[in-house]
Amino acid sequence: MSVLIKGGRVVTATDDYVGDVFVDGGRISLLGEALDVTADTTIDASGKLVLPGLVDPHTHLDMPFGGTTTIDDVRSGHEAAAFGGTTCHVDFCIQGKGQTFADALADWHGKREGKALIDMGYHIAITDLSDPERLEELASLPEQGVTSYKLFMAYKGALMVDDETLFKSMEVAAASGALVMVHAENGDAIDVLVKQALAAGNTAPHFHALTRPPETEGEATNRAVQLARVAGCPLYVVHVSCKESVEPIALAREKGWDVWGETCTQYFFIDQTFLERPDFEGAKYVYTPPPRAKDNQDVLWNAVRTDVLSAISTDHCSFLWDGQKTLGRDDFSLIPNGGPGLENRLHMIHHLGVGQGRITLNRMVELLSTNPAKLFGLYPRKGTIAPGSDADLVIFDPSKRKTITVADQHSKADYNLYEGTEVTGDVETVLVRGTVVIDDAELKVEPGYGQFVARAKFGEELRPAALGV
């Protein structure tokens, strides 16, 4: 099927022009003004933005955590993503204790098969390197298209690794061409603070934030930066939430070190006071790192504007408020950590970032699509509009009004972090590899259409032959 998208305002990380996009064979074939070509389908994009499909580098679908499992599986998560303009994402494959990476990946591929609507890859989350064979296996993963290693410096007794495991993984990454990702919080200190709070009878949701102060994030971020420097590996700090974490990343980037950071949509709009909402509603905003004091929001906007932080993800990790979050009604430490957000990243960042003059349209595309694609071995196959790239495209109406509400969302979560927020700008049509996936508020493909993407090593480009099925 060939598709001609006519007269839209084509916006990439570097370009902004009115023109046509011709799609053939699942890829972008021609770009130009008033293209004289015949297509099977023609879409009039006059007055609309034509954007590269968004890439979300940080999601958790069908993930066991805290005695339960995220409510969104690949099927529902992909529907939410697609309706929000996300055409590719990288999810986390969590290694179980004592498990080989091959077995872990087989488990996660099983979660994907027959359910995927959009394209996706996997990060490997390392929890156990006690078997010497795991280091050798870890080194082989980039050749299999799994080119990023995630390590948790928090969640003691569950996902947290010690510094020895962290450093060994960094050394392997330096040699294998992988990017190391860290969840940067001092898990040991937090564990002490949580136990002290519970012993004092402090069980309400807002103690989640009080026992994870920003200094614990800043300390772990700096520790990871310094260890990566010694190991000689590139480092990506996930979900940066506060000034204390931004500062060591800014210093590293000023020095020219291979350090990058992301933040998440929710940290721009939700502050620590949300955790204090009555009747246990504060539990909706229990995610990690927690919402911070409101003055951190200006810090984060400045950081994404100046490229101290290079990407905005969702960290979509959705649980039901009623039935899952309520596991911690009498103990905040038992509230499953995470929140929904896959569907509304573009809505929120376009409206309150571009619409209020905090960032440009080009920078928005860079943060939501191009930089994640480059950092995670998807570019130029994904993340841009250029001849030869996958025809992952979003036609976005920048003037359409929308009220974000749980009633209209496609996640299975029973709440929305941005409930009642009125935004200007909404997704109209979404294509993945040249096929219309979303149009006129309807899903147009069947589960199983989405593909697994074998990603390129860090710093290398993903060309057509590198796509796996």
Side-chain angles (χ1 to χ4, degrees):
M1 289 286 291
S2 58
V3 181
L4 178 62
I5 301 171
K6 290 186 63 65
R9 182 181 173 187
V10 179
V11 181
T12 70
T14 55
D15 302 314
D16 188 343
Y17 60 90
V18 175
D20 301 344
V21 181
F22 179 60
V23 173
D24 194 24
R27 296 193 184 124
I28 295 167
S29 179
L30 292 171
L31 299 170
E33 188 175 335
L35 292 177
D36 185 15
V37 293
T38 301
D40 297 315
T41 301
T42 299
I43 299 173
D44 182 3
S46 301
K48 313 292 171 55
L49 302 180
V50 180
L51 310 174
L54 306 190
V55 177
D56 193 335
H58 190 157
T59 61
H60 301 279
L61 301 180
D62 203 354
M63 185 187 79
F65 184 78
T68 187
T69 301
T70 55
I71 194 62
D72 280 316
D73 64 0
V74 170
R75 169 65 178 78
S76 63
H78 278 193
E79 186 169 351
F83 272 93
T86 293
T87 56
C88 184
H89 73 112
V90 192
D91 207 68
F92 290 92
C93 167
I94 312 292
Q95 175 206 22
K97 291 294 184 182
Q99 189 179 36
T100 68
F101 296 123
D103 285 345
L105 284 165
D107 289 346
W108 251 257
H109 281 300
K111 297 171 185 284
R112 172 187 60 82
E113 290 172 358
K115 294 183 178 181
L117 298 168
I118 62 174
D119 290 349
M120 67 183 296
Y122 288 115
H123 312 289
I124 193 75
I126 301 165
T127 63
D128 187 0
L129 292 180
S130 57
D131 187 330
E133 292 183 1
R134 291 293 78 73
L135 284 173
E136 184 177 344
E137 187 189 7
L138 181 63
S140 73
L141 293 183
E143 299 294 342
Q144 303 170 44
V146 178
T147 59
S148 41
Y149 308 157
K150 166 75 174 291
L151 296 107
F152 291 86
M153 301 170 76
Y155 301 126
K156 187 172 183 177
L159 298 172
M160 178 177 158
V161 299
D162 58 21
D163 284 355
E164 179 182 351
T165 300
L166 174 61
F167 187 69
K168 284 181 176 179
S169 301
M170 288 176 165
E171 289 186 318
V172 172
S176 67
L179 174 64
V180 169
M181 311 168 72
V182 290
H183 173 137
E185 290 182 294
N186 189 312
D188 286 317
I190 290 167
D191 187 60
V192 172
L193 293 172
V194 168
K195 289 175 179 175
Q196 289 174 344
L198 294 175
N202 299 322
T203 62
H206 68 274
F207 285 98
H208 172 69
L210 297 179
T211 56
R212 309 182 90 95
E215 291 82 1
T216 62
E217 185 181 340
E219 183 280 329
T221 300
N222 183 63
R223 180 160 36 107
V225 167
Q226 301 300 336
L227 289 175
R229 179 73 173 159
V230 175
C233 79
L235 178 72
Y236 181 93
V237 183
V238 303
H239 51 45
V240 172
S241 73
C242 58
K243 177 183 69 174
E244 287 79 359
S245 188
V246 167
E247 288 174 343
I249 295 171
L251 181 60
R253 292 182 62 74
E254 182 182 323
K255 291 176 177 292
W257 298 352
D258 289 336
V259 174
W260 291 265
E262 69 166 31
T263 189
C264 306
T265 318
Q266 56 268 29
Y267 294 116
F268 293 110
F269 311 112
I270 294 167
D271 63 64
Q272 192 167 318
T273 62
F274 282 60
L275 289 161
E276 300 170 3
R277 293 185 172 184
D279 300 322
F280 200 64
E281 190 178 349
K284 294 177 179 179
Y285 310 98
V286 169
Y287 42 77
T288 305
R292 300 298 190 186
K294 195 172 182 62
D295 58 3
N296 285 284
Q297 294 174 2
D298 286 339
V299 173
L300 295 176
W301 279 119
N302 185 61
V304 296
R305 183 170 54 248
T306 59
D307 203 40
V308 169
L309 298 179
S310 302
I312 300 173
S313 74
T314 62
D315 193 9
H316 181 89
C317 186
S318 58
F319 297 98
L320 295 174
W321 176 65
D322 185 8
Q324 291 185 299
K325 292 282 189 178
T326 47
L327 292 170
R329 183 175 288 278
D330 299 317
D331 179 347
F332 71 88
S333 71
L334 299 180
I335 301 171
N337 284 207
L342 254 175
E343 191 163 349
N344 300 124
R345 181 172 54 140
L346 179 55
H347 295 128
M348 295 296 286
I349 299 302
H350 174 264
H351 180 78
L352 292 162
V354 176
Q356 296 188 4
R358 293 183 170 101
I359 56 173
T360 65
L361 270 173
N362 296 113
R363 181 59 178 165
M364 180 189 78
V365 170
E366 196 169 26
L367 290 163
L368 303 187
S369 180
T370 308
N371 278 353
K374 287 181 175 179
L375 285 163
F376 291 100
L378 293 163
Y379 185 88
R381 190 73 188 255
K382 310 287 189 184
T384 192
I385 300 174
S389 296
D390 279 357
D392 294 356
L393 299 163
V394 177
I395 300 173
F396 184 80
D397 186 341
S399 62
K400 184 178 179 180
R401 300 287 297 176
K402 175 183 176 66
T403 300
I404 296 174
T405 175
V406 65
D408 296 332
Q409 73 181 15
H410 297 86
S411 165
K412 290 181 181 177
D414 58 357
Y415 69 100
N416 189 297
L417 291 175
Y418 316 114
E419 183 69 31
T421 303
E422 295 185 2
V423 296
T424 301
D426 196 10
V427 173
E428 189 170 277
T429 304
V430 177
L431 290 82
V432 176
R433 287 176 280 107
T435 294
V436 174
V437 172
I438 301 294
D439 188 50
D440 196 25
E442 291 185 4
L443 180 66
K444 299 294 186 179
V445 296
E446 295 296 321
Y449 175 74
Q451 294 182 345
F452 169 70
V453 183
R455 296 177 290 120
K457 293 182 180 181
F458 181 76
E460 298 181 3
E461 292 191 341
L462 183 67
R463 294 300 175 179
L467 184 70
V469 178

